[in-house]
Amino acid sequence: MSRLVVVSNRVPVPTEKRPPQGGLAVAVLSALETRGGLWFGWNGKIAEDKSVVRTRYGNVEFATTALSRRDYDDYYRGFSNRVMWPLLHARLERMDYRRSYENGYRRVNQYLASALVPLLRPDDTIWIHDYHLIPLGLELRRAGCRQRIGFFLHTPFPPSDVFRALPHYRSLLMEFGAYDLVGLQTDVDLRGFINSVHYGVPGAKVSMKSVQIGSAPTGVAVFPISIDVDDVAATAAKGRKSSSGRRLLASLSGSDLVMGVDRLDYTKGLVPRFRAFERLLETRPAVRRKVVCLQIAQPSRGDVPGYQQMRRALDAAAGEINGRFAEYDWVPLRYLHKGFSHATILGFLSLARVGLVTPLRDGMNLVAKEFVAAQRPEDPGVLVLSELAGAARELDAAIIVNPYDLDDVADGLAKAIDMPVEERRRRWSAMMKVLRRNDIHRWRRRFLEALEDTRASRIQTLAPSATVGALANVAGPGRQP
Ligand code: F6P
């Protein structure tokens, strides 16, 4: 089996004391551990010395580099977070495009390619993750890489007329042509991508299985990311019995726990979520004192302007709701702006009667899946899930709500709180079946097998001597703004 090389923007190098945290990190590490390999990307630090540092954790090697202040500002804080993130989540009012950001995005992708090439072996399988790194495949082809290269987008892909709002969108779309395979989270994202190529790239041939931008087709398919179900269940069971789990349980004094966990991000719909909880308290006085809502909002991208403003809005909403409804011996909303270990969060989720996952738009949302896997089979909690999260395409036995309709979310919450145990078990079993069918291991296997297959057919399309040139030629002129 060939070596797997994973590239993602942020590489959270784990240590014995600090195991990997969070959806993408846990999923990618589990893929690497299964077959051994290399994980390459940014170490999360800002420094002028960008030399590559190599370390090991089990059978996985990490190669990381810092970003200079200018690169961090233009590529990460600028293009990735102020252009691509809002664009892909269809939040054009939040998009703040600048040419310097786009130049920085291309500069860093070129640099990452040049730093990665010396670490590669001819038979490696390269798997590139997320919107920070779309041009990386083409940069690697230009540097002569003939390896299999796949790309997976963790975020949504918007409809084509939204994507067209991105200046130079055509160049970015053409860069996808350097990949052997492009993976998306849901069929909705797949259609957005295919339509964007169809309407945006003159002469491109598209089908539901491939897009042909240059001389060879790029496979496209849906691979909904998932979780390690048994591992989540075991960690949650331990977390429930840990001292933090026991303290949380004791503090509830018999109230039902409604829980949300998210990065503090405007796509997660936290202010509307608070308002929906307020609507519940307002319209159903009998629920007061019987429920406590715990929202953990993990600090994220705090130096990106929209995030600071959103934090203030959330502080204000939480203060208002508690000011309005709290009593001297009961506080309805516990809002924590801080991070916890993955194990602690899973333990907390396993204690919740209701998992409240209401993003305004989300690629998948692994918290929804973790909430389900963390439940106790005999007395499971209920998932209230936004229909705009990718996870809703699979977890249709949740209570599906529209996060823009506060009454709908409040009704969903009331239904979840009142739901009899038989119905809770039925819904939970249906969702567990889905999770067991498509767990993190299957996600990885399916992607890598499809990459192998599409690479083989792509090579057949091209004359062997023309391969590198043809693959590198897909974006043509005009790649710089
Ligand atoms: O899932 C989207 C994503 O941008 C991942 O690529 C990333 O690991 C995570 O969110 C956290 O974001 P950031 O690296 O910007 O803190």
Side-chain angles (χ1 to χ4, degrees):
M1 202 187 291
S2 72
R3 181 177 71 150
L4 179 61
V5 175
V6 168
V7 190
S8 65
N9 168 56
R10 195 185 282 279
V11 179
V13 181
T15 60
E16 295 307 331
K17 281 200 192 131
R18 193 167 42 87
Q21 310 258 347
L24 188 148
V26 174
V28 166
L29 191 64
S30 125
L32 277 165
E33 276 170 341
T34 310
R35 54 193 275 177
L38 171 71
W39 191 349
F40 174 79
W42 176 42
N43 61 11
K45 298 196 177 117
I46 302 172
E48 296 311 309
D49 174 6
K50 297 199 289 185
S51 38
V52 173
V53 176
R54 298 169 78 159
T55 50
R56 218 162 231 298
Y57 181 78
N59 61 345
V60 182
E61 194 189 351
F62 293 84
T64 56
T65 169
L67 289 178
S68 68
R69 165 55 63 186
R70 180 165 162 251
D71 287 348
Y72 173 86
D73 284 344
D74 292 340
Y75 149 83
Y76 174 72
R77 205 165 149 259
F79 201 74
S80 298
N81 286 330
R82 299 179 76 174
V83 181
M84 291 306 289
W85 182 261
L87 173 81
L88 293 167
H89 289 84
R91 296 292 296 272
L92 295 181
E93 84 288 359
R94 297 245 177 195
M95 194 166 105
D96 179 15
Y97 174 85
R98 302 193 195 171
R99 283 201 173 179
S100 55
Y101 292 166
E102 186 173 352
N103 287 333
Y105 182 66
R106 297 188 180 285
R107 184 174 67 241
V108 171
N109 272 275
Q110 271 164 25
Y111 162 70
L112 292 174
S114 69
L116 176 59
V117 167
L119 310 180
L120 293 176
R121 299 176 192 158
D123 193 37
D124 281 343
T125 295
I126 305 169
W127 191 359
I128 297 173
H129 291 259
D130 243 353
Y131 53 96
H132 317 80
L133 301 174
I134 295 167
L136 186 61
L138 183 62
E139 294 299 341
L140 291 172
R141 296 288 184 220
R142 287 201 166 115
C145 292
R146 289 163 171 264
Q147 289 89 340
R148 301 159 207 85
I149 312 184
F151 178 87
F152 184 77
L153 185 67
H154 290 255
T155 66
F157 200 99
S160 58
D161 52 347
V162 172
F163 195 78
R164 264 198 328 214
L166 175 71
H168 314 112
Y169 68 92
R170 188 166 293 138
S171 301
L172 202 68
L173 287 173
M174 290 173 85
E175 284 163 341
F176 280 105
Y179 292 107
D180 297 304
L181 177 67
V182 171
L184 298 132
Q185 297 273 29
T186 70
D187 54 333
V188 176
D189 305 315
L190 181 72
R191 277 172 204 280
F193 176 66
I194 289 173
N195 283 338
S196 296
V197 173
H198 176 62
Y199 295 117
V201 181
K205 292 188 206 129
V206 307
S207 74
M208 288 308 282
K209 291 192 173 154
S210 69
V211 296
Q212 183 159 349
I213 291 166
S215 14
T218 291
V220 290
V222 170
F223 304 92
I225 196 169
S226 195
I227 56 168
D228 185 329
V229 181
D230 293 324
D231 188 60
V232 167
T235 311
K238 248 199 248 154
R240 189 166 53 232
K241 291 186 200 122
S242 69
S243 76
S244 50
R246 280 186 279 122
R247 277 174 59 196
L248 173 61
L249 186 62
S251 76
L252 294 173
S253 318
S255 306
D256 283 335
L257 178 65
V258 173
M259 181 158 171
V261 189
D262 306 78
R263 277 190 309 102
L264 196 151
D265 193 293
Y266 53 83
T267 61
K268 304 292 182 185
L270 297 176
V271 172
R273 186 181 303 176
F274 282 7
R275 294 301 177 195
F277 181 64
E278 179 179 37
R279 186 68 53 87
L280 174 83
L281 300 176
E282 203 172 72
T283 55
R284 289 157 174 96
V287 162
R288 295 179 204 162
R289 307 185 64 92
K290 292 203 183 124
V291 294
V292 165
C293 177
L294 170 62
Q295 174 65 52
I296 295 177
Q298 296 151 331
S300 177
R301 305 177 192 167
D303 57 354
V304 176
Y307 289 74
Q308 294 151 7
Q309 169 202 340
M310 147 127 223
R311 185 179 169 191
R312 286 193 292 274
L314 210 51
D315 287 350
E320 262 174 56
I321 294 166
N322 281 334
R324 188 169 165 207
F325 291 102
E327 295 186 25
Y328 65 86
D329 58 351
W330 171 68
V331 177
L333 182 57
R334 301 180 189 177
Y335 159 52
L336 282 67
H337 178 240
K338 61 178 179 175
F340 287 88
S341 76
H342 195 224
T344 303
I345 285 176
L346 293 178
F348 288 175
L349 285 174
S350 79
L351 292 165
R353 165 52 60 89
V354 182
L356 189 53
V357 183
T358 54
L360 302 177
R361 197 81 189 83
D362 213 332
M364 178 53 58
N365 199 301
L366 291 179
V367 173
K369 294 188 169 184
E370 287 172 344
F371 172 79
V372 174
Q375 296 308 301
R376 284 166 302 158
E378 67 285 4
D379 187 24
V382 182
L383 178 63
V384 175
L385 178 60
S386 161
E387 69 173 285
L388 299 166
R393 315 286 302 171
E394 294 173 277
L395 301 180
D396 53 3
I399 296 181
I400 305 291
V401 294
N402 183 323
Y404 289 95
D405 179 352
L406 303 190
D407 290 304
D408 192 33
V409 179
D411 290 350
L413 273 170
K415 186 171 171 188
I417 292 163
D418 290 341
M419 192 177 286
V421 71
E422 298 75 35
E423 184 176 350
R424 285 192 273 129
R425 285 189 196 138
R426 200 163 10 90
R427 286 175 181 260
W428 177 79
S429 303
M431 290 191 281
M432 279 303 274
K433 222 172 174 183
V434 174
L435 293 184
R436 292 215 173 274
R437 221 172 20 226
N438 179 41
D439 66 0
I440 186 68
H441 305 294
R442 180 148 188 275
W443 172 75
R444 165 186 46 82
R445 268 198 317 271
R446 279 190 60 230
F447 185 91
L448 293 174
E449 281 166 18
L451 177 54
E452 200 71 51
D453 293 350
T454 49
R455 176 62 176 175
S457 54
R458 192 167 148 101
I459 291 285
Q460 276 168 13
T461 321
L462 296 165
S465 58
T467 304
V468 171
L471 291 175
N473 222 3
V474 290
R479 52 191 276 271
Q480 294 295 343

